[in-house]
Amino acid sequence: MKILAFGEIMLRLSPPGRELLLQTPKLDVWLAGAEANVAGALARLGHDVAFASALPDNDLGRSAIATLRGAGVETRGIQLRGDRMGLYFVTSGAGLRATEVIYDRAHSSFAETPSEAWDWDRLLDGVDRLLLSGITPALGPVPAASAIAATEAASARGIAIAFDGNWRGKLWERWDSDPRGILMQLVDKADLLFGNHRDIALLLDRDFASDGEDRRRAAVAAAFEAFPRLQTIASTARHVEHVDLHRLSARVDTREASAQTEDVVLAGIVDRIGGGDAFAAGVLHALRQGGDPAAAARTGLALAALKHSLPGDACLFRQADIDAYLAGGLDVRR
């Protein structure tokens, strides 16, 4: 069976190394987009993945399609329409200077594609799981309507839905939005949620006053009570010492069981952007292989940790890399 990912494909532009934006007149360019990151990672791990999006019919759009195809993603669901591709700029932090993001996504081909332009009968044919995130509805009322229509179409066909909260406050603030109302409609259709206690607090309009693992357990219990279709919740907890030193752990909960990993120390971080998408891909990979919550948490954390070693948004690792990471040992593999 096949996974269908739905979302915007962008270009990420970053100054080289740890420079400030335009400190020198150079920018590195990578294909980006949360759903595209997950789709590419899953395809590299051997899964049948298709993508639905919209791109301009120019060299940028065609290059993005070629990159996804190169990762093994089916691209027949990508429409060529509109005039521009969404962009975002990332200035990587260093030491005690945080990473900064500037969005340039208004009026992109994807953001202006009307809801009725998506042929869900065709796009969902042969699909057993739909993947989308909270970034799509944050782009504006038109993408929000498309996201809701996608989940309604998938739900009507009995297709499982994975939803990644991916809160983007800068995007929601740009229009007269109702984040909670829209996200509630989307999560209500999902069986798998990628989100932590902060995402759940936003959805349910409540605080979780306890700390640490107790707070995460309370949030999960509240989400399962509020959303009857929800069966699995996966999340990470990140503690930032400075830009180059983080501690990361993972948790996966079902209605019957839960698994919590120990912290992994991430030192010498090359690029944290895309780490959450790598985690989502790892969890989905393990679950589709029949793994239990513990296996899903381990695999998601492994792929997320590995992603921190690569520049750009994409996670380029395969099963052998996950196996080597889980086996331990950092000496040269000869």
Side-chain angles (χ1 to χ4, degrees), residues 7-19:
E8 183 168 33
I9 306 166
M10 300 186 297
L11 291 179
R12 167 184 161 180
L13 295 91
S14 293
R18 301 297 182 91
E19 293 183 11

Side-chain angles (χ1 to χ4, degrees), residues 38 105 134 137 151 165 171 182 208 212 264 281 286 295:
V38 179
R105 304 175 67 165
T151 57
L171 296 177
I182 292 169
F208 298 98
V264 168

Side-chain angles (χ1 to χ4, degrees), residues 124 127-130 151-161 191:
L124 293 171
V127 169
D128 72 319
R129 179 168 289 284
L130 173 69
T151 57
E152 289 177 345
S155 180
R157 292 161 174 79
I159 295 170
I161 298 170
D191 71 291

Side-chain angles (χ1 to χ4, degrees), residues 152-176:
E152 289 177 345
S155 180
R157 292 161 174 79
I159 295 170
I161 298 170
F163 185 79
D164 193 335
N166 270 336
W167 173 256
R168 298 292 186 268
K170 287 184 177 181
L171 296 177
W172 285 107
E173 290 167 2
R174 292 186 175 187
W175 61 287
D176 184 18

Side-chain angles (χ1 to χ4, degrees), residues 238-259:
R238 183 187 296 269
H239 303 278
V240 179
E241 302 293 338
H242 56 75
V243 167
D244 297 314
L245 180 62
H246 298 184
R247 290 182 290 115
L248 190 68
S249 64
R251 182 183 179 93
V252 174
D253 291 270
T254 68
R255 291 180 178 270
E256 296 80 29
S258 64

